[in-house]
Amino acid sequence: MTSAGRRLAFAGSVAGASVVALDGTVLTVAQPTLQRDLDASFAQVQWTSTGYLIAVAGLLVFAGRLGDRYGHRRTFGIGMLGFGAVSAGIALAPGVGWVIGLRVVQGVFGALLQPATLGMLRAAFPPDRLRLPIAVRTAAIGLAAAAGPIAGGALVTSLGWRAVFFVNVGPALVFGALALAVRGRPEHPQTTPVRGQPKRPQTTPAPRPPEHPQTAPVRLDLPGALLLAVSLACLVHALVALPQSGWTPARGLGLGASAVAAAAFVRHERRTPAPLVPADVVGAPAIGSALGILVAASAALHGTLFTCAYFLQNDLGLDPFHSALVSLPLAALMVAAAPGCAVLLRRCGARRTTVAAAVVLALGILVLWRASATPVLCAGFALLGAGFGTVMMAGTHVVVQQTPVESAGVAGGLKQTAMNVGPVLGVAVAAACMSLGGSRSPLLVLAVTAAAGAVAGRALPVRSATAAVEHRAEGARSRIPTRP
């Protein structure tokens, strides 16, 4: 791939990830106003988020497989265009029923574009050059998530809830159209002669090569995709509803249906000749370990934020604005952790970096468990941001780097699934612990969850092959004597 193609893949990956992160945070701020303006019930407003989550979680892996077959840039372009168009439709919706239905459709397009943001990077960059693009992408996600509540609050206050859905329309349409327009354009050979060499004659432009060569088209495992979608959709629906309605027979039925569908999916994948999740992905210990760490870390973070929202206001008497100010170090350190993690991965390897970051995350939760003074609270949130930002960057890097390029879409879908299921699981655990007594009681459980991620990180590679080669090359260069 040419340097221009790499730049486009990089820009599209960052833009797509930022659009999705910003969408989720601004909607949270707009929900109370949306409820009043559309005369909706609390349950209906919750479904504007739940419907989206169910659609995304159920389709991410299959959407990644579509990218492996038809090209990540194409699925990214379709996903971005659809995401932006539906977002504009939500802003013009006449009632809450339309908002819920369009949010489900938006989740379908979100599932298309999210794995492609990682698949494009894997196809565009060699494994030894993935750290910096993934670091910038991770920092952009943290920045978008931090800016979302501020931008959303300003827009809702001045223009109303509909304005927040117009924020992503422009970037989504521009990058989606650009991705589809550039694809298929022929690449021209370099015609500028090198000094001292004769001019080469003009040649006929060669056709653009595919994103990654394949000997045979990827087969789509539709039964496996359906079973996985049912399992994840039932799981997410049961966990999302748990904090609001508590444990009910319906929640147990949903979790049971998820377990049955998951068992059927595993049985099907072992027997089918073309599984949805190839053996070189699901059988790799490093990838499985990285996915487990991402689930544990995201569950610990979001469960902690859910718990802190209550004890900061109910126990310590802070208003929402001051609570947000206290938690600002979380966003700042999460953004700063991404470039630092790229250096740590090169020097220390994935295992040491991720295990240390998970320990920092658990330590931050423990600090918040006992904190009451503002400086200590800020320190706890800073540790939380530094630990989670590093884990997310390192886990993403391992998943993308260790995956064969022909399965990059599936790996991206699995990674995004982990990042969607983890937060829902963490909030459900926090709500269940809070119902047993004590507004801070979930923090101990969540600290143990983060520590479990550190234990799982011991299955990660000590040092990647590319990092070892770079380290040896640096050592060799340092031994070359300079000319006098």
Side-chain angles (χ1 to χ4, degrees):
M1 182 178 288
T2 63
S3 59
R6 288 194 180 97
R7 287 195 295 270
L8 178 60
F10 173 60
S13 177
V14 172
S18 301
V19 161
V20 172
L22 187 64
D23 175 80
T25 53
V26 298
L27 175 62
T28 303
V29 178
Q31 282 180 336
T33 306
L34 183 152
Q35 181 178 359
R36 290 194 301 268
D37 289 355
L38 298 182
D39 193 23
S41 65
F42 180 77
Q44 288 175 320
V45 172
Q46 288 298 309
W47 266 102
T48 62
S49 296
T50 302
Y52 176 86
L53 283 174
I54 290 175
V56 168
L59 296 175
L60 277 170
V61 178
F62 181 64
R65 202 56 169 163
L66 289 176
D68 291 331
R69 175 165 181 170
Y70 297 108
H72 302 299
R73 189 173 294 172
R74 179 182 298 176
T75 56
F76 171 81
I78 295 172
M80 285 288 274
L81 288 176
F83 196 92
V86 175
S87 186
I90 295 172
L92 303 174
V96 69
W98 281 94
V99 175
I100 294 172
L102 288 173
R103 282 286 288 172
V104 173
V105 177
Q106 192 177 37
V108 175
F109 287 110
L112 280 176
L113 75 90
Q114 289 186 56
T117 61
L118 291 173
M120 289 191 302
L121 290 183
R122 180 65 182 89
F125 292 89
D128 60 331
R129 294 179 59 188
L130 280 169
R131 284 187 295 270
L132 181 59
I134 292 177
V136 175
R137 179 183 180 275
T138 303
I141 292 173
L143 190 60
I150 300 173
L155 288 172
V156 171
T157 301
S158 57
L159 300 174
W161 67 269
R162 298 180 187 273
V164 302
F165 288 100
F166 282 117
V167 171
N168 288 324
V169 173
L173 296 182
V174 168
F175 280 95
L178 189 62
L180 294 180
V182 172
R183 180 174 174 79
R185 187 177 292 175
E187 296 191 13
H188 300 277
Q190 184 179 0
T191 56
T192 303
V194 179
R195 182 175 296 181
Q197 293 184 357
K199 275 190 174 181
R200 294 183 179 180
Q202 295 287 340
T203 58
T204 304
R208 182 186 178 92
E211 293 182 23
H212 45 77
Q214 294 186 0
T215 57
V218 176
R219 294 178 59 185
L220 299 179
D221 179 18
L222 296 180
L226 178 61
L227 289 171
L228 182 60
V230 170
S231 176
L232 291 174
C234 291
L235 175 65
V236 170
H237 179 258
L239 293 177
V240 167
L242 190 60
Q244 284 80 35
S245 58
W247 182 263
T248 64
R251 303 287 85 77
L253 183 62
L255 293 176
S258 174
V260 171
F265 171 74
V266 172
R267 183 173 183 270
H268 169 79
E269 291 292 284
R270 288 177 174 176
R271 296 187 174 190
T272 184
L276 176 66
V277 183
D280 54 3
V281 176
V282 71
I287 296 176
S289 176
L291 293 174
I293 292 167
L294 290 172
V295 171
S298 58
L301 173 73
H302 288 269
T304 299
L305 295 179
F306 178 84
T307 305
C308 290
Y310 283 90
F311 88 74
L312 287 178
Q313 298 180 41
N314 296 342
D315 294 1
L316 302 184
L318 301 180
D319 58 41
F321 178 72
H322 285 89
S323 298
L325 289 180
V326 168
S327 64
L328 275 180
L330 167 68
L333 268 294
M334 184 175 168
V335 173
C341 180
V343 176
L344 290 174
L345 284 173
R346 181 170 62 87
R347 294 183 177 275
C348 304
R351 181 186 298 179
R352 293 177 181 174
T353 300
T354 309
V355 169
V359 171
V360 170
L361 177 61
L363 180 61
I365 298 173
L366 291 176
V367 170
L368 291 174
W369 173 53
R370 303 299 299 174
S372 57
T374 298
V376 183
L377 288 170
C378 291
F381 280 112
L383 291 172
L384 213 64
F388 181 76
T390 304
V391 168
M392 185 167 67
M393 159 66 190
T396 303
H397 179 264
V398 170
V399 171
V400 175
Q401 186 193 49
Q402 297 286 327
T403 302
V405 67
E406 62 272 12
S407 299
V410 169
L414 289 171
K415 184 264 173 182
Q416 295 299 134
T417 300
M419 297 300 294
N420 278 271
V421 172
V424 177
L425 179 62
V427 172
V429 169
C433 292
M434 289 175 66
S435 66
L436 299 176
S439 58
R440 299 200 197 193
S441 59
L443 295 180
L444 282 177
V445 178
L446 295 167
V448 173
T449 303
V455 175
R458 296 184 63 82
L460 293 174
V462 176
R463 183 182 292 269
S464 65
T466 55
V469 171
E470 292 175 6
H471 183 71
R472 288 195 297 268
E474 289 180 359
R477 285 195 297 269
S478 66
R479 290 192 295 270
I480 296 176
T482 56
R483 291 183 179 180

